[in-house]
Amino acid sequence: MSTAVSTVLFELSYCPPAAFFAELLSAESLLLERHENYRKQTYRNRCLILTAQGVQPLTVPVIDGNRSEKAPIDQLEIDYRQNWVHRHWRTLQTAYGNSSYFEFYADYLHDIYVRKPDRLFDLNLAVLHLLLRCLRLTLPVAFTAEWHASYPAQVLTDRRDWLTPKALPDTASGAGLRQEYRQCFGAGFVPGLSVLDLLFAVGPAAGTYLVPATSAGGEPGSEPLTQTAGLITDIR
């Protein structure tokens, strides 16, 4: 029997950790949650990178942040009154400018920033499609059509809020990586960072470093997807 799960469900994150993409290796399709409310202090609007000062979050500010958790995730607007695009880009340049493959990917990421998508969901989706191409992951991507608090295991593997910046993995294997790689800073390897850290370090070989994690949340189910009618809508 195949160990591949037909569909894995994730929330849409900003420059997700490597473990996000590692889980897609055992999936036939990716389903993105579009009908939740925004949640603070998650990867929905932040990622973690490694700098000379250690691990640093890059956070995308949202309008009316104090009440943002009541907002539907696909309607949440980015706050461009804060000069976060400049800060993020300069921080990435400082942290990764000397890495082997930063220049290989930098222009593609910068193009997304300068387009200034109005909504967080649109920014994250544009970045996700770029990262999928960079990692050579070609599985179909779709949106949920309505909110469900839970799904039967035989329908899909629910990975919503499975990854959180509050609980970083202790090892590379826990972060969805087969092995450690040489990072720009520090004597010891730091797991749990944005997949950008991996891409900038090893470039086109990044996909070969990924392995589905089984230590958190258990192994993905092996049953085929049979009950998705009415639950998803395709991205066009």
Side-chain angles (χ1 to χ4, degrees):
M1 181 179 293
S2 172
T3 59
V5 61
S6 292
T7 296
V8 61
L9 171 64
F10 270 106
E11 72 276 11
L12 185 55
S13 301
Y14 173 62
C15 302
F20 173 97
F21 298 95
E23 288 302 292
L24 302 185
L25 296 178
S26 58
E28 294 178 3
S29 62
L30 169 62
L31 182 60
L32 297 173
E33 180 57 70
R34 190 165 195 163
H35 293 274
E36 64 173 0
N37 286 346
Y38 171 71
R39 293 182 59 187
K40 297 179 181 178
Q41 306 297 316
T42 68
Y43 286 126
R44 288 166 178 81
N45 73 322
R46 70 184 57 202
C47 67
L48 301 179
I49 66 167
L50 187 61
T51 73
Q53 289 73 44
V55 177
Q56 178 176 330
L58 296 180
T59 302
V60 180
V62 296
I63 291 177
D64 202 6
N66 291 333
R67 294 186 292 175
S68 57
E69 288 196 297
K70 298 180 181 179
I73 189 65
D74 64 348
Q75 297 300 313
L76 193 66
E77 295 184 62
I78 297 172
D79 189 353
Y80 285 101
R81 294 171 299 182
Q82 303 183 43
N83 196 18
W84 69 270
V85 171
H86 177 75
R87 291 197 302 270
H88 282 211
W89 189 244
R90 289 301 301 271
T91 302
L92 288 170
Q93 285 180 313
T94 301
Y96 297 111
N98 292 327
S99 62
S100 299
Y101 290 95
F102 178 77
E103 293 297 332
F104 191 80
Y105 300 108
D107 287 346
Y108 301 106
L109 185 60
H110 189 259
D111 286 346
I112 295 174
Y113 284 139
V114 298
R115 290 203 299 267
K116 292 188 175 181
D118 292 333
R119 294 181 173 87
L120 179 66
F121 198 88
D122 296 331
L123 169 68
N124 290 353
L125 187 60
V127 173
L128 174 62
H129 281 309
L130 170 62
L131 295 175
L132 289 173
R133 291 196 301 272
C134 293
L135 294 167
R136 300 173 184 175
L137 292 172
T138 58
L139 76 173
V141 180
F143 299 125
T144 57
E146 56 188 354
W147 166 256
H148 291 270
S150 62
Y151 292 86
Q154 68 269 24
V155 172
L156 51 76
T157 297
D158 190 345
R159 291 302 199 201
R160 290 174 296 182
D161 291 306
W162 177 63
L163 299 170
T164 170
K166 298 179 182 179
L168 297 180
D170 295 327
T171 64
S173 59
L177 297 169
R178 293 185 182 277
Q179 65 191 67
E180 298 178 359
Y181 55 90
R182 184 176 180 180
Q183 294 174 316
C184 293
F185 303 102
F189 183 78
V190 180
L193 302 175
S194 167
V195 75
L196 291 175
D197 189 83
L198 173 65
L199 277 170
F200 293 153
V202 304
T208 66
Y209 281 75
L210 300 177
V211 62
T214 58
S215 59
E219 293 191 18
S222 59
E223 297 297 324
L225 181 65
T226 59
Q227 304 177 36
T228 55
L231 298 182
I232 64 176
T233 55
D234 290 336
I235 293 175
R236 299 296 183 187

